[in-house]
Amino acid sequence: MKTKNMKIGCHLSISKGYAHMGKEALKIDANTFQFFSRNPRGGQAKEINPADSEELLKIMKENDFAKILAHAPYTLNACSKDPSIRNFAKNVLADDLERMDTYFPGNLYNFHPGSHTGQGVEKGIEQIVEALNDVLKPDMKTTVLLETMSGKGSEIGRSFEEIAEIIGKTELKDNLGVCLDTCHIYSAGYDIINEPDEVLDEFDNIIGLKRLHAIHLNDSMTPFNSNKDRHEKIGYGTIGLKAIVDFINNKRIKFLPFYLETPNEVPGFAKEIKCLRKEFL
Ligand code: FE
Ligand code: FE
Ligand code: ZN
């Protein structure tokens, strides 16, 4: 039943084009989805066929879709100690944002802040800010999201403070926001099982809930505060179904779009969407 109008979708493969993802979302009762902006290994993005993008926009409009979320390649690292990797990150960000603005204006683009690879958190944050100041434009129509990370290795974005510092130091922050990943924050030591409201209070005090635009909804394979990044199917991990159901029904976030990134193929996502829609109040 879509009457309660939960905004939920999952990560879909872009290999058959944009409209195909829209149709696939419809088939599994999703009303949004996430996709990689380009090959996860980076490299040249495939040209967008305007007929394909227009067909997706039509599907989205006719079916009252929430914003779709383009995810930058995992290899993108705006704060690597290697200047050529940093430069590559800037080029990919600029190119992806240009494509989103052209073909899918008004939607969302998410990236991992990056790993400082030994340079230290402060240097890393400085370089992420530099990249953002380079690529964000005043008239941009895409909302750019920093993802909350689990803190594996030298990852930046493991705490709300680090994300807030990046946003605080970026010049054009009107179109800058956050995507909260439930697996990542639980792994980073935010106890969304026992203290979900305290976690959201903390987010609000440090970053501001008005910056929160999207939720990556995942269970976790690893224990609380483990700083690992291993997604699990909904209800089969250390977070568990009850905490996840409570979380999606929390008044402060229930109107946001939820994107599943659980280890599933499309039929598995369909099952999770069905289950979560049933639990959505
Ligand atoms: Fe991610
Ligand atoms: Fe995620
Ligand atoms: Zn992850």
Side-chain angles (χ1 to χ4, degrees), residues 20-48:
H20 185 267
M21 291 189 286
K23 289 175 199 159
E24 204 154 35
L26 285 178
K27 266 190 233 159
I28 59 174
D29 201 19
N31 49 4
T32 183
F33 60 88
Q34 172 179 272
F35 58 99
F36 280 126
S37 62
R38 61 182 67 211
N39 188 312
R41 289 177 195 282
Q44 207 49 45
K46 238 167 78 183
E47 264 211 63
I48 298 178

Side-chain angles (χ1 to χ4, degrees), residues 71 74 110 112 147 184 216 261:
H71 194 305
Y74 287 137
N110 171 68
H112 295 178
E147 183 167 351
H184 296 176
H216 277 167
E261 301 177 305

Side-chain angles (χ1 to χ4, degrees), residues 237-263:
T238 52
I239 301 175
L241 185 61
K242 187 190 176 294
I244 288 172
V245 166
D246 286 349
F247 202 64
I248 60 172
N249 283 302
N250 191 298
K251 284 198 169 48
R252 289 191 282 179
I253 57 170
K254 65 181 301 180
F255 57 89
L256 291 171
F258 296 92
Y259 305 86
L260 296 160
E261 301 177 305
T262 43

